[in-house]
Structures are given as C-alpha cells and as structure tokens.
C-alpha cells in the first residue's frame, strides 16, 4: 500500500480530487519525547486502491520541521501496512535553473540537520544495526513519480519543468538560510534545499520501506535570487503547484 507524506501546503488531500476519505485515525506510537506520540493518518480510497495520507506538520500545520516526530510518522505508516512512501516537499532552488514552479525528483541528499531523533536503532535492541544508504531514494518509486508527472504534463496546456535528478540539502530550520550557507550547499553539490527530508528518508530505509521525494521549488534559495525571500510569494507558488502535485499523485496511486 502507498503512503503519502504531505508537507507545506499539502495538508488536505480532499483538494486532490482523488476519491473518498474513508476515515481519519489517530495512531498511538512508542515514540514521543517532548512531542506527541500519536499520529493522525487519513485512509483514502482512490479508484480501486487504498492510500494513506499523513501531513507531516500535522493537520493544522502546527509542527515546525525540527519538532516533527519523524519516527512516529514512519512507524505509524509501517504499522498500518504501508510499503511505499511518496514524500512531498516544498524546497528552495539552489541551482539557478531550478526556478519556482519546477518539480524535482532528487536522487541524492545531504543531511545538515542536528538534534533530531533520527534512528530506530538507538541502542535498545540487542545488535547495533546499520543500513545501507548509498542510494537514499528507491529507484523504482522515483521512476513511478517521474512517469506519472510526465503523463500529467503531456496533457497540460502549460507544461511544467520536471527534473529527474538532484541533490536535496536538508537544513535544520525553522529559519531560512544565509547567502553564505547556500553558497556552501552549492559548493557541496546540492541543488535544492528543504527542512523536512531528513531523517524521514533514512528512517524509511531503516523500516525497510520504499521511499522517494517529490519536491517542488517554491522560491530561489537565499542569494540565488535578489533580495530577501518573500513568504507571500512562497505561498502563492505552493498554491500554483498544488494541482500538478495532486494530479501526479493521483496517477501514482491508480
Ligand atoms: N530553504 C529551506 N527550506 C525551504 C526553502 C528554502 O529556501 N524553501 C522552502 N523550504
């Protein structure tokens, strides 16, 4: 079963036009130091398929990136029978060709976060466990998203730009970055920057779930454009991208 983790601007899949909401469920999880242990998940029917939806910032968009209980979210989806996760992430564009409105399915990431609960293997089990993370995203799921996005695009009057590779930088937030920080990320080889891609991706790997990221650029990262980043413009961009995201996800489910 497919699970979708929605980010900024995507807390309400009823805007997706996907079919029927069966129920919302609060799942109790074993995780929660300084944050709630329960996770709200929606059960949806899309065509003949069932799909679960989890808004990572909560249904009221109240959790900042560093307060999201990533372990509880991944644990809850696995517990409910999810085997594949598509994560939707709003990002800033570092590479200057990645302008607002561009969709990116990254193939690599660099984790710049700190102080997040980032593993299920925290010494409480008998063995020390390590997971391979050479390729952080599941290739077959990346291919599914790209196919779906291109299908939707082929029927679009105004096709969007879809980029099939890229390196996602995950910063700690909740503040945005400085010009110097973005220059450093660019020198490190990062193409896009967000605050919520990790430890979500590595926890999914630890939980043996397929995982891929569908990122959409909502602003030029600090110093890539001119002047400061305007949140009004970011939210306008999120709104513009919503239909394409919804249609692509709908096609991934069907
Ligand atoms: N930086 C970090 N996270 C983001 C950005 C950004 O510029 N835009 C959207 N999420």
């Amino acid at each position: 079963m497919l699970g979708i983790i929605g980010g900024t601007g995507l807390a309400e899949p009823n805007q997706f036009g996907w079919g029927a909401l069966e129920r919302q469920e609060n799942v109790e999880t074993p995780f929660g130091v300084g944050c709630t242990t329960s996770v709200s998940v929606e059960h949806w029917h899309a065509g003949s398929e069932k799909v679960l939806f989890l808004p990572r910032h909560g249904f009221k968009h109240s959790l900042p990136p560093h307060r999201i209980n990533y372990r509880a979210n991944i644990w809850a989806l696995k517990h409910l029978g999810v085997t594949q996760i598509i994560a939707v992430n709003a990002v800033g564009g570092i590479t200057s060709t990645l302008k607002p409105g561009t969709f990116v399915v990254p193939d690599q990431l660099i984790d710049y976060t700190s102080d997040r609960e980032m593993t299920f293997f925290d010494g409480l089990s008998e063995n020390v466990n390590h997971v391979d993370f050479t390729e952080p995203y599941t290739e077959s799921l990346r291919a599914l998203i790209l196919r779906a996005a291109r299908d939707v695009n082929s029927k679009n009057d105004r096709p969007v730009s879809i980029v099939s590779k890229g390196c996602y930088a995950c910063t700690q937030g909740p503040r945005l970055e400085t010009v110097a920080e973005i220059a450093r990320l660019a020198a490190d080889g990062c193409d896009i920057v967000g605050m919520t891609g990790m430890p979500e991706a590595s926890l999914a790997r630890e939980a043996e779930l397929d995982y891929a990221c569908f990122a959409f650029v909502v602003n030029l990262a600090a110093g890539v454009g001119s002047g400061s980043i305007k949140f009004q413009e970011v939210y306008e961009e999120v709104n513009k991208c919503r239909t394409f995201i919804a249609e692509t996800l709908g096609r991934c489910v069907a």
Side-chain angles (χ1 to χ4, degrees), residues 90-93 171 176-177 182 193-195 218-222 229 234:
V91 294
T171 55
L176 294 172
E177 300 74 31
I182 291 296
V193 56
M195 301 175 191
V218 293
N219 61 279
L220 297 173
I229 294 167
V234 167

Side-chain angles (χ1 to χ4, degrees), residues 85-254:
I85 295 174
I86 296 178
V88 184
N89 298 76
V91 294
I94 298 176
T95 304
S96 58
T97 50
L98 301 180
K99 305 227 178 329
T102 305
F103 291 80
V104 187
V105 182
D107 63 332
Q108 277 297 326
L109 64 80
I110 300 181
D111 185 6
Y112 298 92
T113 65
S114 53
D115 285 332
R116 295 185 182 187
E117 295 288 353
M118 56 13 170
T119 182
F120 291 118
F121 304 143
D122 57 4
L124 300 178
S125 62
E126 283 155 26
N127 301 313
V128 176
N129 291 304
H130 301 282
V131 290
D132 174 68
F133 207 43
T134 309
E135 302 296 340
Y137 301 111
T138 305
E139 193 50 40
S140 54
L141 200 50
R142 291 183 64 251
L144 173 74
I145 299 169
L146 283 165
R147 230 176 7 251
R150 287 176 182 141
D151 274 1
V152 172
N153 224 13
S154 68
K155 296 178 183 72
N156 247 353
D157 294 341
R158 278 177 292 149
V160 300
S161 171
I162 300 166
V163 176
S164 61
K165 270 175 187 282
C167 183
Y168 175 108
C170 191
T171 55
Q172 175 70 354
R175 68 166 175 82
L176 294 172
E177 300 74 31
T178 65
V179 171
E181 285 169 339
I182 291 296
R184 173 186 165 209
L185 301 189
D188 284 355
C190 299
D191 300 294
I192 52 178
V193 56
M195 301 175 191
T196 52
M198 283 293 287
E200 205 173 83
S202 55
L203 287 166
R205 179 62 53 85
E206 288 186 355
E208 299 180 342
L209 303 177
D210 289 349
Y211 181 97
C213 166
F214 188 34
F216 60 110
V217 180
V218 293
N219 61 279
L220 297 173
V224 178
S226 56
S228 57
I229 294 167
K230 317 253 176 341
F231 286 95
Q232 186 57 31
E233 289 171 18
V234 167
Y235 290 121
E236 280 168 20
E237 201 54 53
V238 171
N239 283 333
K240 282 195 228 156
C241 291
R242 209 176 259 138
T243 306
F244 188 77
I245 295 167
E247 288 178 3
T248 300
L249 291 176
R251 217 163 259 261
C252 288
V253 175

Side-chain angles (χ1 to χ4, degrees), residues 42-125:
E42 286 182 347
H43 295 247
W44 283 80
H45 277 294
S48 58
E49 300 294 324
K50 195 169 160 180
V51 57
L52 299 192
F53 180 79
L54 189 160
R56 67 165 76 75
H57 297 278
F59 278 101
K60 296 192 187 119
H61 203 277
S62 51
L63 297 170
H66 64 293
R67 289 277 175 218
I68 292 169
N69 193 339
Y70 295 94
R71 291 194 300 181
N73 287 352
I74 296 295
W75 188 93
L77 290 177
K78 171 132 180 156
H79 178 73
L80 295 173
V82 161
T83 52
Q84 298 184 306
I85 295 174
I86 296 178
V88 184
N89 298 76
V91 294
I94 298 176
T95 304
S96 58
T97 50
L98 301 180
K99 305 227 178 329
T102 305
F103 291 80
V104 187
V105 182
D107 63 332
Q108 277 297 326
L109 64 80
I110 300 181
D111 185 6
Y112 298 92
T113 65
S114 53
D115 285 332
R116 295 185 182 187
E117 295 288 353
M118 56 13 170
T119 182
F120 291 118
F121 304 143
D122 57 4
L124 300 178
S125 62

